[in-house]
Amino acid sequence: MKYMILTTLIVAIAILAINADMGNWRDLYTERGKDAFVEKMKRNHMKYRDNQTNPLKSPTVQHFITKLRANNRKKMYPVMLITALLGAQLEAKLDRKTVPYFYCKKKSNWEVIWVNIEDFIPFIIDCWEDNIKLKYDAITHVYSPAAEGVQVRVRKGIQNVRYIDPSGLLRSLTGEYNSIINALESIGYTQNKNLIAAPYDWRVGADSYYLPNGIFYNMKKMIEGAYTNNSNTPLVCVAESLGNPVFTLFLNTYVSEAWKAKYIKSYIALAGVFAGAGQALDAVISPVLGILPDIIDPKIIQSLARSFGSVAWLFPNAKYWKDYVFISTPTRNYTANDIGGLLEQQSLHGVYEMYLNNRDLTTLQAPNVTVYCWHGIGVKTPNRFHYKNDKFDQKPTVIKVDGDGRVPLPSLQVCKRWQDEQSKPVSYRSLPGVTHVGILSNERVILDILSVATGGQPFYH
């Protein structure tokens, strides 16, 4: 008993000392830690950003916008923007009976859970991890919050796909479709009328997309609504990163050829991860190398990655990669064909179940709609990881390959094969030095989107 009292006194004195100096943990973070924290994020993220962040200031873009404005007879096809992995804002509502730590909230109204920079504060991040983690039912294909009393939903609307961070604090680092939206608005597009967004819960696996009221049901309903609301005009659909396998799978498995011919004018694929990536596999194997920068403990990233079906879906496609070695040790090489055995070897049974239910939902097949496929090239991209032992408990040697910094080149180039696999035209182009994130604010991409959306051909041929 006396030890409990002593411990309580020590904790109380420590809290009083902190409060006397700073008030509370929010003040501690806001007043003294914010600048350092943001600077650390900048250092980690800037290598994935292009220097050109405001393409609308380019004289070439301004001239083309002026030309489009002057052409009152121009056609304006409705545009739908499909978000990436991590690309949709999420919010959570809490009504919990228990929490993992005494400082975690039990109750809240709807609050942003992705991205809210305050959630990444030491200790508070443990509460965030518990709230955003998923559990999986392999029989029903349902992904749901791992913790009781947690509800999570996607923040909808075009305004919520401009940036991943809605607060504005990290806007320069978390831009999603802001540059593209600004460019389209500058020639007369109207938010939520002929410019719409299709954000989705990027944590869940593709096997859940087919559920009643699931991602595919809502995407089809949204496209049909935009078609009707714009005088029966077909849509130009723009997708980035994970949004590309999502949309390709939708076109190949959920709707008919007649439906595509009626509702889809064209599909613009930006930085598509069509055949998976080595980083997704490594994220669940090793706790010492996260798929995000070190502002977040890699062990937390690993814990979450092991609960997200989307990560399992992004494992390298065995039919495409064949004998390519993604993970190696002194005693063993692991290719895409060895993923199942590797997961079982590491006792990752939950990940293995998600992998089994998602691996055949491939996005290698041509969607048979008009496609414009653009991606970066010439950026060093981690894709192979060599460990010093079979425990995977030490930082690996990372082998980098050509790609866009996140997705290896072979996965980006899947769409190039479609030129010989479908009757509809496929325009393919690689952009030297353009990164996975930087493509969203690239001048050439902005010009091409404006041209295609108004009935023309890509600005650059």
Side-chain angles (χ1 to χ4, degrees):
M1 182 69 179
K2 64 180 180 180
Y3 294 109
M4 184 181 296
I5 295 173
L6 179 60
T7 301
T8 302
L9 286 173
I10 292 173
V11 172
I13 291 171
I15 292 174
L16 286 172
I18 293 174
N19 286 344
D21 182 34
M22 293 301 299
N24 57 48
W25 66 265
R26 289 183 183 275
D27 294 331
L28 176 67
Y29 170 70
T30 303
E31 300 302 325
R32 292 189 178 181
K34 182 187 296 182
D35 291 341
F37 189 80
V38 171
E39 284 304 312
K40 187 171 185 179
M41 289 197 73
K42 285 183 179 179
R43 289 195 299 270
N44 284 286
H45 276 277
M46 285 306 290
K47 62 182 178 180
Y48 300 116
R49 299 285 301 175
D50 286 342
N51 292 328
Q52 183 181 24
T53 57
N54 191 353
L56 268 67
K57 291 184 178 181
S58 161
T60 304
V61 175
Q62 290 180 348
H63 175 74
F64 190 56
I65 289 174
T66 300
K67 181 180 177 181
L68 289 175
R69 285 173 175 168
N71 182 9
N72 294 324
R73 295 172 297 175
K74 66 179 182 295
K75 184 75 173 179
M76 294 176 63
Y77 290 94
V79 173
M80 182 175 77
L81 306 176
I82 305 168
T83 50
L85 180 69
L86 312 177
Q89 298 175 18
L90 305 177
E91 56 187 8
K93 183 178 182 180
L94 306 180
D95 186 15
R96 304 191 57 175
K97 296 179 181 178
T98 61
V99 289
Y101 305 98
F102 72 91
Y103 47 80
C104 296
K105 288 182 180 179
K106 286 187 177 181
K107 296 182 181 296
S108 77
N109 205 338
W110 290 105
E111 295 180 353
V112 174
I113 193 173
W114 180 261
V115 173
N116 178 3
I117 192 172
E118 292 184 351
D119 286 331
F120 300 148
I121 300 170
F123 302 110
I124 300 303
I125 195 172
D126 299 318
C127 311
W128 170 78
E129 176 191 0
D130 196 56
N131 289 331
I132 202 170
K133 185 182 292 186
L134 295 176
K135 63 181 178 182
Y136 177 61
D137 187 322
I139 303 299
T140 64
H141 304 279
V142 171
Y143 298 81
S144 56
E148 57 80 26
V150 178
Q151 299 178 61
V152 176
R153 69 185 183 188
V154 176
R155 303 188 83 206
K156 299 180 180 180
I158 199 76
Q159 69 277 8
N160 291 319
V161 301
R162 286 182 175 273
Y163 304 96
I164 302 173
D165 170 28
S167 72
L169 182 62
L170 298 174
R171 281 189 171 183
S172 64
L173 303 176
T174 62
E176 180 74 352
Y177 278 114
N178 184 58
S179 295
I180 292 173
I181 292 171
N182 287 341
L184 289 166
E185 288 182 331
S186 72
I187 62 170
Y189 274 83
T190 302
Q191 289 189 25
N192 303 318
K193 174 63 170 62
N194 57 357
L195 178 56
I196 63 174
Y200 56 91
D201 191 336
W202 42 264
R203 301 172 301 162
V204 304
D207 57 324
S208 71
Y209 297 172
Y210 301 91
L211 296 174
N213 201 34
I215 289 173
F216 282 171
Y217 171 84
N218 288 308
M219 182 174 288
K220 183 172 182 284
K221 184 178 179 180
M222 181 177 295
I223 291 172
E224 291 172 350
Y227 173 90
T228 302
N229 293 337
N230 290 277
S231 304
N232 296 340
T233 307
L235 277 67
V236 173
C237 298
V238 183
E240 197 261 340
S241 189
L242 175 64
N244 287 289
V246 170
F247 191 56
T248 303
L249 190 67
F250 169 81
L251 293 174
N252 281 334
T253 66
Y254 197 76
V255 294
S256 67
E257 293 297 319
W259 189 94
K260 288 185 284 188
K262 179 178 180 179
Y263 291 104
I264 305 299
K265 170 63 176 176
S266 60
Y267 162 31
I268 299 176
L270 304 178
V273 53
F274 293 107
Q279 291 187 76
L281 178 59
D282 189 69
V284 304
I285 296 299
S286 171
V288 294
L289 186 67
I291 58 176
L292 294 180
D294 63 4
I295 57 167
I296 301 177
D297 185 345
K299 291 183 179 180
I300 292 178
I301 298 302
Q302 182 199 52
S303 171
L304 295 178
R306 289 177 172 180
S307 80
F308 294 167
S310 55
V311 175
W313 191 38
L314 289 176
F315 289 167
N317 185 298
K319 294 179 181 179
Y320 189 76
W321 289 96
K322 299 181 179 179
D323 295 330
Y324 183 96
V325 175
F326 289 94
I327 293 179
S328 60
T329 71
T331 63
R332 179 79 188 271
N333 290 332
Y334 297 91
T335 70
N337 288 302
D338 303 313
I339 290 176
L342 178 59
L343 296 174
E344 288 194 305
Q345 173 189 319
Q346 297 298 308
S347 299
L348 299 175
H349 305 301
V351 182
Y352 181 62
E353 286 186 325
M354 291 188 291
Y355 170 66
L356 288 181
N357 281 346
N358 284 275
R359 65 179 177 180
D360 292 329
L361 298 174
T362 66
T363 58
L364 303 178
Q365 298 85 2
N368 201 30
V369 297
T370 298
V371 175
Y372 302 93
C373 184
W374 310 320
H375 62 79
I377 193 174
V379 183
K380 292 182 178 180
T381 303
N383 200 47
R384 181 174 177 179
F385 308 87
H386 179 74
Y387 288 86
K388 295 180 180 179
N389 59 51
D390 294 310
K391 296 180 180 179
F392 305 104
D393 59 355
Q394 298 182 34
K395 191 170 184 178
T397 299
V398 180
I399 294 91
K400 296 183 178 181
V401 300
D402 197 359
D404 66 3
R406 286 295 184 190
V407 182
L409 185 58
S411 191
L412 295 165
Q413 288 181 321
V414 166
C415 57
K416 188 176 182 180
R417 307 193 315 174
W418 298 346
Q419 293 175 326
D420 300 322
E421 296 177 0
Q422 67 173 40
S423 58
K424 298 285 187 178
V426 176
S427 173
Y428 168 84
R429 186 173 68 248
S430 59
L431 304 168
V434 175
T435 64
H436 191 68
V437 176
I439 197 169
L440 293 172
S441 58
N442 179 266
E443 176 183 323
R444 295 178 64 179
V445 170
I446 297 294
L447 287 168
D448 283 347
I449 289 175
L450 291 177
S451 181
V452 171
T454 52
Q457 294 299 311
F459 192 86
Y460 288 91
H461 294 286

